[in-house]
Amino acid sequence: MRFRTLTLAAASGTALLAAGLLPAHASAASPRSAQEGTVSAADLLAKVTSCSQISNGKYRTDEETSATVPVCGKNGAVFWKADMDIDCDGQRTTNCNENRDPWYQDDTAFHQSDGKPLKAETLPYVVVPSTSSIWNYSNSGIKGGGVVAVIYNNKVEYAVVGDTGPTQIIGEASYATAKALGIDPDPATGGADSGVTYILFKNSTVSPIESHSAAVSLGDQLAKQFIANN
């Protein structure tokens, strides 16, 4: 949950990453994960080729970019297509702390079942824009702990709504989300500058919010319903 201004190094690094020009060791610190669930990225993407805009305006992907990203509505879900900035907020861990992340904050908008902030390094979660005149996520049936299908490079990763961000910027997810999708998760220089689709399933809740296996199980079920109803 922070305002990010891309540095030249970060901007060029993510551009190279998106173009597939970085060396293999630079794209991720660990092997790419297997496909989560049984619904393919292609099947999900086929349902979000057109946008019925539900937001009152559009969002920027970073502070210095123009507003080009609408929030779109579908039966049972909302979605947007943007970049991915890395959120490392919440519990301090080896890779998510003040020394690694210039924008680090020790809290998240939504908390674990024990009351502690979420752990960005290990829990896949997505950041939604804070409520503004552009869009109120709660009015669309989106809430903390809701399930999100994050799609990148023909892979699907299930995450939860875990944090809120700036009111005019969209496109952010946790360190763990990026890592699982093969995106450089470094909070200072990582991320992807385009090509990420976020599908948020309405009125869904993962319990407990910190259970990724529960998110995958519920996400797979909701993804099948989404395919059937759109």
Side-chain angles (χ1 to χ4, degrees):
M1 181 167 54
R2 45 91 183 112
F3 293 87
R4 164 169 290 191
T5 300
L6 286 177
T7 62
L8 178 61
S12 60
T14 51
L16 288 171
L17 175 63
L21 299 177
L22 285 180
H25 70 272
S27 63
S30 65
R32 299 163 70 88
S33 69
Q35 166 77 35
E36 289 196 328
T38 60
V39 179
S40 72
D43 285 345
L44 285 170
L45 291 175
K47 300 297 183 177
V48 294
T49 56
S50 62
C51 175
S52 175
Q53 183 172 330
I54 62 170
S55 54
N56 295 321
K58 295 181 179 180
Y59 289 94
R60 295 176 291 174
T61 55
D62 292 293
E63 284 187 332
E64 67 274 21
T65 62
S66 57
T68 60
V69 181
V71 176
C72 311
K74 299 290 283 189
N75 289 330
V78 303
F79 74 91
W80 56 81
K81 299 180 181 183
D83 64 345
M84 183 184 288
D85 290 333
I86 308 302
D87 189 316
C88 234
D89 294 342
Q91 295 185 47
R92 288 179 179 83
T93 57
T94 301
N95 289 299
C96 289
N97 54 62
E98 300 91 332
N99 296 324
R100 295 294 303 274
D101 182 2
W103 305 276
Y104 176 77
Q105 298 182 44
D106 63 1
D107 200 5
T108 49
F110 307 106
H111 291 172
Q112 295 181 165
S113 55
D114 61 3
K116 295 180 180 179
L118 302 181
K119 190 179 291 186
E121 185 170 346
T122 58
L123 179 69
Y125 70 72
V126 165
V127 180
V128 296
S130 295
T131 296
S132 72
S133 59
I134 301 176
W135 183 53
N136 183 331
Y137 63 86
S138 61
N139 287 348
S140 296
I142 305 304
K143 52 191 172 181
V147 184
V148 187
V150 187
I151 305 164
Y152 179 77
N153 198 21
N154 294 315
K155 295 181 62 181
V156 179
E157 175 71 12
Y158 289 106
V160 293
V161 175
D163 205 358
T164 56
T167 57
Q168 298 184 345
I169 296 176
I170 206 165
E172 186 176 357
S174 68
Y175 183 105
T177 309
K179 185 176 179 180
L181 289 168
I183 295 171
D184 182 354
D186 188 287
T189 61
D193 65 351
S194 64
V196 185
T197 299
Y198 303 81
I199 302 174
L200 292 74
F201 299 110
K202 297 179 179 179
N203 302 310
S204 61
T205 307
V206 173
S207 183
I209 189 174
E210 65 269 21
S211 173
H212 181 57
S213 61
V216 175
S217 178
L218 181 57
D220 193 50
Q221 175 187 335
L222 293 174
K224 291 175 183 177
Q225 292 178 10
F226 178 74
I227 296 296
N229 294 335
N230 288 279

